[in-house]
Amino acid sequence: MIHNGMEFDTYFKNYPDKDGFFGKYGGAYITEELKAAMDEITEAYFTICKSAKFISELRRIRKEFQGRPTPISHLERLSGKLGNVQLYVKREDLNHTGAHKLNHCMGEALLAKYMGKKKVIAETGAGQHGVALATAAAYFGLECDIYMGSVDIKKQAPNVARMKILGANVVEVTHGLATLKEAVDAAFAAYAREYKDSIYCIGSVLGPHPFPMMVRDFQSVVGIEAREQFIEMTGELPDAIVACVGGGSNAMGFFSGFLNDPVDIYGVEPLGRGATLGDHAASLKYGEEGIMHGFNSLMLKDENGEPAPVYSVASGLDYPSSGPEHAFLHDLGRVTYDVIDDEDTIDAFFALSKTEGIIPAIESSHAVAYAIKLAQKMGRGSILINLSGRGDKDMDFIIEKYGIR
Ligand SMILES: *Cc1c(COP(=O)(O)O)cnc(C)c1O
């Protein structure tokens, strides 16, 4: 299938290239020492992940532990209110731990086991990645060090408790602003020291090669399942698909199943309080090319060219860059990246809860809000939304800040 002059039949063979580039985006901008460690992971990934044993073990885990395949639900009542467009959701909220993140964490931890590593290392901001990785580490009997800024540790007490209950070691990072950026630096430094016995597990399609590729591949199960299920359910492909984009892992896994199809693809970034720098985290829509955390992508920069402060009501979406493959698909025009603000997000959170009995994560509510607007614009057809996670984690915050709508 050709989109905007680009051939997508061979897309996954060609991207990323051997150095981890999607066009000019991606790569591995890291120290020699870390590069050696990343090369070891790349090599292991290419051999181990093709082995029948690894593939069948991952399949079994997905079925028996995670509860995959997750279903697709038809949003009949919500669609009825909007007119003639039918909305559907891929239910990653029903994946074990309540979100898509476990898909790549189980893959990364299984890879660690096959590589003979004893420990997994990561950073976490809001704690969602930390909880998913701690779950995977518990399942495989691996040690787990999660680096977290002290500011975030105070803000995210329930997730800190979850990680500790799951047996993870939460390492407090106190320097600088003591939030995600410092936690990333500390986790990278720890990995450089400990890479012989450990593996670094990133939380999205971010970071140096091979992570954007590996996390996409582990998340591609979402897109593969969704495509099959949707065709089985309706007899055809959806006209459009929608997912929220923070780092971009749920979106990339979901989109990968449909890149070669005649399907319109939409990635939704958080507009937060508005289009002023500092009030949103829409790096694909408003960012410029830049390198951070070891990779080249589109990035929101401050006046000094450093990563800008960002904001979103959804803590899982407030990152000043996005995965390099999204930047590539953005420039190609294969995926349309657009924005939804906090207000529309909260309305969609209540709309899905009240009309369908599904309480979505605030992150996922961005995709739902966008699909509602798109449905009104399209007038007819079908839209499949990736519901990346459930909203239990967000309920206290929403009730306190917005009340019941
Ligand atoms: C972390 C998270 C996201 C954002 O991460 P991506 O890598 O962009 O998918 C989205 N939804 C939920 C529920 C999350 O926990």
Side-chain angles (χ1 to χ4, degrees), residues 99-101 128 203-204 244-251 316-317 361 363-364 388-389:
H100 70 286
K101 285 199 178 72
Q128 296 299 107
S204 189
C244 66
V245 180
S249 63
N250 87 85
L317 303 181
E363 290 81 4
S364 325
S388 54

Side-chain angles (χ1 to χ4, degrees), residues 15-82:
Y15 300 102
D17 71 11
K18 67 173 184 16
D19 298 315
F21 283 96
F22 303 86
K24 62 183 172 179
Y25 301 114
Y29 299 85
I30 45 180
T31 61
E32 280 303 307
E33 203 178 12
L34 268 177
K35 185 75 175 53
M38 293 299 168
D39 287 349
E40 185 193 318
I41 298 178
T42 308
E43 213 180 295
Y45 176 70
F46 277 126
T47 46
I48 292 169
C49 290
K50 291 200 177 71
S51 83
K53 198 160 162 256
F54 183 92
I55 292 168
S56 73
E57 191 166 356
L58 192 58
R59 276 211 187 113
R60 185 185 60 75
I61 289 166
R62 283 171 174 167
K63 178 161 180 240
E64 296 174 5
F65 179 65
Q66 293 179 233
R68 304 203 69 88
T70 58
I72 285 180
S73 303
H74 181 195
L75 306 180
E76 284 191 53
R77 294 212 324 120
L78 188 58
S79 305
K81 290 187 167 188
L82 297 172

Side-chain angles (χ1 to χ4, degrees), residues 49-324:
C49 290
K50 291 200 177 71
S51 83
K53 198 160 162 256
F54 183 92
I55 292 168
S56 73
E57 191 166 356
L58 192 58
R59 276 211 187 113
R60 185 185 60 75
I61 289 166
R62 283 171 174 167
K63 178 161 180 240
E64 296 174 5
F65 179 65
Q66 293 179 233
R68 304 203 69 88
T70 58
I72 285 180
S73 303
H74 181 195
L75 306 180
E76 284 191 53
R77 294 212 324 120
L78 188 58
S79 305
K81 290 187 167 188
L82 297 172
N84 289 323
V85 173
Q86 298 305 309
L87 300 183
Y88 299 81
V89 279
K90 172 66 170 163
R91 301 289 306 276
E92 288 307 289
D93 60 314
L94 296 177
N95 196 30
H96 179 44
T97 71
H100 70 286
K101 285 199 178 72
L102 195 65
N103 298 329
H104 61 252
C105 286
M106 293 307 285
E108 287 173 326
L110 184 62
L111 181 65
K113 192 183 112 175
Y114 274 66
M115 289 173 75
K117 305 289 188 188
K118 293 186 182 63
K119 188 195 274 187
V120 287
I121 295 177
E123 75 291 327
T124 196
Q128 296 299 107
H129 176 51
V131 169
L133 191 61
T135 302
Y139 179 90
F140 289 109
L142 295 163
E143 287 172 53
C144 179
D145 286 355
I146 303 291
Y147 290 79
M148 194 168 182
S150 37
V151 171
D152 290 331
I153 287 181
K154 279 203 199 77
K155 273 207 319 225
Q156 308 291 344
N159 277 341
V160 174
R162 277 185 199 107
M163 286 184 263
K164 288 184 174 165
I165 288 169
L166 290 162
N169 180 25
V170 179
V171 185
E172 184 167 355
V173 179
T174 54
H175 70 272
L177 296 175
T179 60
L180 183 63
K181 185 186 174 301
E182 291 77 19
V184 172
D185 296 341
F188 268 139
Y191 180 53
R193 284 194 306 272
E194 303 179 46
Y195 77 86
K196 293 227 154 44
D197 290 323
S198 67
I199 182 172
Y200 180 75
C201 294
I202 210 149
S204 189
V205 285
L206 301 169
H209 182 59
F211 284 101
M213 169 189 69
M214 226 165 67
V215 171
R216 171 195 76 190
D217 292 355
F218 287 137
Q219 286 295 347
S220 67
V221 66
V222 177
I224 292 166
E225 283 177 10
R227 189 178 186 282
E228 271 180 30
Q229 291 168 318
F230 194 89
I231 292 173
E232 191 186 307
M233 212 169 164
T234 68
E236 53 197 15
L237 285 164
D239 293 303
I241 64 170
V242 180
C244 66
V245 180
S249 63
N250 87 85
M252 207 50 247
F254 183 55
F255 294 170
S256 69
F258 298 89
L259 282 178
N260 194 31
D261 289 320
V263 170
D264 293 333
I265 306 183
Y266 297 89
V268 185
E269 298 192 287
L271 187 62
R273 294 180 290 246
T276 308
L277 189 67
D279 282 346
H280 64 83
S283 51
L284 295 160
K285 181 141 178 142
Y286 298 117
E288 46 190 317
E289 192 178 344
I291 294 169
M292 63 180 275
H293 296 159
F295 66 103
N296 185 36
S297 188
L298 290 170
M299 172 178 136
L300 293 166
K301 294 180 183 174
D302 66 13
E303 65 280 7
N304 301 317
E306 293 296 311
V310 286
Y311 162 82
S312 163
V313 68
S315 51
L317 303 181
D318 64 354
Y319 185 71
S321 185
S322 293

